[in-house]
Amino acid sequence: MTFEELNIAEPISRAISEKGYTEPTPIQQQAIPVVNAGRDIFGIAQTGTGKTAAFAIPILQKLWEATRQPVASENSEEQSTSERPKRKDRRGRNHGKPEAKRAIKALILTPTRELAAQIDECFTDYGKYTGLRHTTVFGGVKQKPQTDKLRRGVDILIATPGRLLDLHGQGEVDLDEMIFFVLDEADRMLDMGFIGDIRRLVRLIPEKRQTLFFSATMPAPIVSLSRGILTDPVRIEVSPESSTVDTIDQTIFFVEKPEKKALLIKLLKENEDTSVLIFSRTKHGADNISKILTKAGIQSVAIHGDKSQGQRLKAMSDFKGGHAKVMVATDIAARGIDIRELGMVINFDLPDVVETYVHRIGRTGRAGRTGRAYTFASQDDHMIVKEIQSLVGRPIKMELF
Ligand code: AMP
């Protein structure tokens, strides 16, 4: 299937081709027509499948089309030819009279600020010729720049639950005209304790709306949450987790703790031109690894929950811009990191939960690219290694260091 077959409006398809996308991913092929048809979605898909574009593209399209419709107002009978809807330029901006303040028409709720920033970037990319405005609100940073933007008016709001509820309570966010509600990474929301916040939010938004619900896994509390917020949804499921890792070349190194640093440095030196994400189990460990690398003359950045938002954004931009080829992260901080050129993932520590292995290595080998994943395990970890292997469902190379 091609993007043309999905009937994407010109300003959006132009932006998509500038991104270099040639064909829609499976979730995009399935979700875009469903959103266009006005139906709710119950989507089982993880990050890396092209899920963000699967909801961003049709939402942008519907909102952009709405900006081109003549507004049917109470005085529409009086609308003479001299009062036709204002002309808009290629970016959809009005000419002439100052425009009325925009109302939020789409709300995207996501668990972390990194994910919010990333979704925001997608709306910037795909929506750049639509003239639609979007912004993010999330905690851990000053509120004023966010409220300034909200007061100027936005069409699309990307938010984490806590800050959104705060701002709503202060009267800074008006959701009365919202028609699209996206709940992204619902299972992550559950893990992070946001379900109560979500239920509270759902009571604040219009009942008549289109809701797109996405989760990588569907544990019982998530299914029950979805029942309360979806109306006759279409179920969409793309590649179960284990099959998304087929393009990743995976190796498990059996290495004892004191030797891990030496192995890490060796791997990084052998792959100097590759961008690498290293997973550490703890924040302290992440800082430690970063220090060891500095001593070995390898530049790296570390991100975890103890870093300020400014430090995290700086680290992300250094990494994305290629100034540092190596990023060390904890699982929570790495959630939502999207670097298209990420060539390698190193699990310096094994994850606590086996499923996390798939999430971690899924940071490389995205959208059809090949990637490599190295995992350090000790001889004592052989049971976990077995579980990983059965989850992945294919042989993983094993080496002794
Ligand atoms: P997501 O699952 O939304 O995190 O997207 C994963 C990655 O796939 C991101 O880097 C997107 O930019 C990229 N992507 C999304 N849609 C396409 C597409 N149709 N073709 C190629 N890459 C894509």
Side-chain angles (χ1 to χ4, degrees), residues 3 19 21-25 28 46-53 118 126 338 340 366-367:
F3 276 114
K19 280 291 286 175
Y21 301 172
T22 49
E23 57 173 315
T25 65
Q28 292 159 11
Q46 62 179 116
T47 309
T49 52
K51 161 172 68 90
T52 316
Q118 210 156 289
Y126 313 141
D338 172 28
R340 292 194 83 199
R366 286 186 158 204

Side-chain angles (χ1 to χ4, degrees), residues 228-263:
I229 60 181
L230 292 169
T231 309
D232 188 23
V234 176
R235 181 190 165 101
I236 292 179
E237 180 163 6
V238 292
S239 42
E241 295 203 345
S242 50
S243 64
T244 57
V245 297
D246 286 350
T247 54
I248 305 168
D249 182 23
Q250 303 168 57
T251 307
I252 293 182
F253 279 102
F254 283 101
V255 51
E256 292 313 311
K257 212 172 164 206
E259 306 299 325
K260 279 186 176 183
K261 293 171 208 158
L263 175 58

